[in-house]
Amino acid sequence: MLYIVDDDIEFSLLLRDISSPHVPALEVFHEPISFFDKIELTSADIVILDIKMPKMDGIEVLRELAGKRVSSSLILISGVESGVLNSTAMLAKELGLNIAAQLPKPFPPQKLVDVLTNIISDDEVKSFKHTDHNGGEVYSFSKAEIEDGLSKGQITLFYQPQIDLNTRQLCSVEGLVRWNHPTLGLIPPNHFLPQVNKRRLLDALTDHVIECAINAESVWNKLGIEINTSINVNASNVINLSLPEKLETLANNAEITPSKICLEVTESELMTELIPSMDTLTRLRLKGFRLSIDDFGTGFSSLLQLYRIPFTELKIDRSFIKNLATNSESRIIVETCILLAHKLGMKVVAEGIEDRETFTILHELGCDIGQGYYFSKPLPEHELHVWLHENKKRALVAL
């Protein structure tokens, strides 16, 4: 169900006309008080909310929604300056609300259609019984079940292509963990990683992920396929002083050069124990492995981390990429990140590219590499080979 909450009667009717062909049902409210009096929201609902209204403004509405622990998808709209809209969206996220998009008025009708389509398709993917009606976990995996999944190769990597934005060619992939469960089907990481952490198996999972990535690189190397692979490492990995030797041994045994592997680490992981992290990551660079600072721009001292650690790659957080086409502040931040990284001799990766407009802007700003559903969803290894074959001749020129 789509709910439109906007005091502008004419504009709300326009929103209704744009949205109605793309949602099963909708209802329009011109003041939030009547909306709250009549409606009990569910996680399947979508709300388009104007943040500037009389009597009860958007911030008050968001506060009320957060108090009710609403998990519906929210689309924030407004004719106020973009900085205010952006701050409102960030506040809503801090309150735990699900902000699907923020659209400054006026916006092209197709933009709203695209947002609604993405929300509905995401909900369809999520609907196959991994969360209860409160958004909590349905499944609880024992330590033995997780260990069995690791030993039998059920927990494996899917690979999302990363595209050189200049050549339109595949240059690398990011390995993303999935569990192909024998009875529950394909389980995304957010539904089993908390259990992995709870059972103290995060290190075992990371070791497994590293081995999967290096084995895949070995296969591609023998087939003459030039692809680099990025994998995520956690806090306990980056403070493990033996990690550089372990990775070097694995790479040597697989007969691949260390530079084929890029380790992605978030700033929050670095801040757990700084000195061991600096030790481990610097030695990994000495041995030829590449390093990426992930989710850049979301921490409080990202610039300091760039100074401390010899990163080779900067990955811009998807929260900036998501609103790149509609938010001037996001564009300025992305442009600044690209300039900064290039000055430091680093490549820049943008994740979360969903449409051609975002791709075009990033290319114009000089971003090096992009990934997202606009190019491809994460693929199992055999499907990646098919994708490679299909796209090899056309060099992705149609993108």
Side-chain angles (χ1 to χ4, degrees), residues 116-279:
L116 291 172
T117 302
N118 286 336
I119 293 171
I120 292 167
S121 62
D122 284 347
D123 285 344
E124 288 172 351
V125 170
K126 294 172 184 174
S127 66
F128 77 109
K129 202 179 174 184
H130 284 310
T131 57
D132 62 19
H133 64 282
N134 293 318
E137 293 179 345
V138 172
Y139 305 119
S140 178
F141 301 107
S142 68
K143 183 176 182 180
E145 284 178 294
I146 297 170
E147 289 175 331
D148 192 52
L150 290 169
S151 65
K152 292 182 177 178
Q154 297 165 2
I155 299 177
T156 186
L157 289 181
F158 277 37
Y159 298 93
Q160 186 167 37
Q162 296 181 326
I163 307 301
D164 185 310
L165 298 188
N166 288 312
T167 66
R168 315 299 204 268
Q169 289 277 11
L170 177 74
C171 60
S172 51
V173 293
E174 181 180 4
L176 300 165
V177 68
R178 302 286 187 269
W179 189 346
N180 193 7
H181 196 280
T183 59
L184 303 177
L186 189 66
I187 306 176
N190 57 309
H191 294 291
F192 68 86
L193 287 183
Q195 295 288 321
V196 171
N197 194 40
K198 181 179 179 180
R199 309 299 180 194
R200 300 183 182 276
L201 290 172
L202 196 55
D203 286 345
L205 174 64
T206 304
D207 289 344
H208 178 71
V209 163
I210 290 171
E211 290 181 14
C212 286
I214 288 179
N215 289 338
E217 274 292 346
S218 179
V219 170
W220 296 331
N221 186 50
K222 291 172 183 175
L223 293 173
I225 300 173
E226 286 294 321
I227 308 177
N228 297 328
T229 302
S230 295
I231 50 177
N232 295 279
V233 292
N234 59 61
S236 61
N237 297 133
V238 298
I239 63 172
N240 182 353
L241 299 180
S242 66
L243 181 63
E245 283 75 21
K246 182 176 183 177
L247 273 174
E248 185 178 45
T249 299
L250 288 170
N252 288 339
N253 291 342
E255 298 181 339
I256 65 168
T257 58
S259 62
K260 303 293 288 183
I261 301 295
C262 181
L263 304 174
E264 295 188 6
V265 56
T266 63
E267 184 179 346
S268 59
E269 305 287 4
L270 291 174
M271 296 305 291
T272 53
E273 292 187 49
L274 181 60
I275 293 176
S277 299
M278 291 176 65
D279 184 315

Side-chain angles (χ1 to χ4, degrees), residues 259-317:
S259 62
K260 303 293 288 183
I261 301 295
C262 181
L263 304 174
E264 295 188 6
V265 56
T266 63
E267 184 179 346
S268 59
E269 305 287 4
L270 291 174
M271 296 305 291
T272 53
E273 292 187 49
L274 181 60
I275 293 176
S277 299
M278 291 176 65
D279 184 315
T280 299
L281 294 173
T282 303
R283 293 182 65 242
L284 282 166
R285 283 292 296 122
L286 285 171
K287 294 182 181 298
F289 296 96
R290 294 180 297 112
L291 300 176
S292 174
I293 183 165
D294 198 6
D295 298 339
F296 186 78
T298 59
F300 292 105
S301 55
S302 294
L303 291 177
L304 184 57
Q305 304 307 344
L306 292 182
Y307 179 71
R308 286 169 167 167
I309 309 293
F311 289 104
T312 57
E313 178 183 287
L314 182 152
K315 200 165 191 181
I316 303 174
D317 185 67

Side-chain angles (χ1 to χ4, degrees), residues 6-62:
D6 191 334
D7 66 303
D8 186 330
I9 296 175
E10 185 176 342
F11 194 78
S12 64
L13 294 178
L14 175 62
L15 293 175
R16 181 198 63 187
D17 293 342
I18 295 170
S19 305
S20 57
H22 307 281
V23 296
L26 63 78
E27 191 170 352
V28 177
F29 292 87
H30 298 305
E31 51 181 54
I33 295 172
S34 61
F35 169 68
F36 282 119
D37 286 343
K38 295 180 181 180
I39 301 302
E40 287 292 331
L41 292 168
T42 72
S43 60
D45 293 327
I46 304 171
V47 180
I48 299 177
L49 173 66
D50 187 354
I51 66 169
K52 188 175 182 181
M53 293 180 289
K55 296 182 181 178
M56 189 177 190
D57 63 44
I59 303 295
E60 293 175 296
V61 173
L62 293 171

Side-chain angles (χ1 to χ4, degrees), residues 163 165 312-316 321 334 337-342 346-351 362 366-370:
I163 307 301
L165 298 188
T312 57
E313 178 183 287
L314 182 152
K315 200 165 191 181
I316 303 174
I321 304 303
V334 169
C337 288
I338 293 170
L339 290 171
L340 173 64
H342 286 170
M346 300 165 62
K347 293 282 188 181
V348 181
V349 179
E351 61 179 342
L362 286 165
C367 183
D368 302 294
I369 299 167

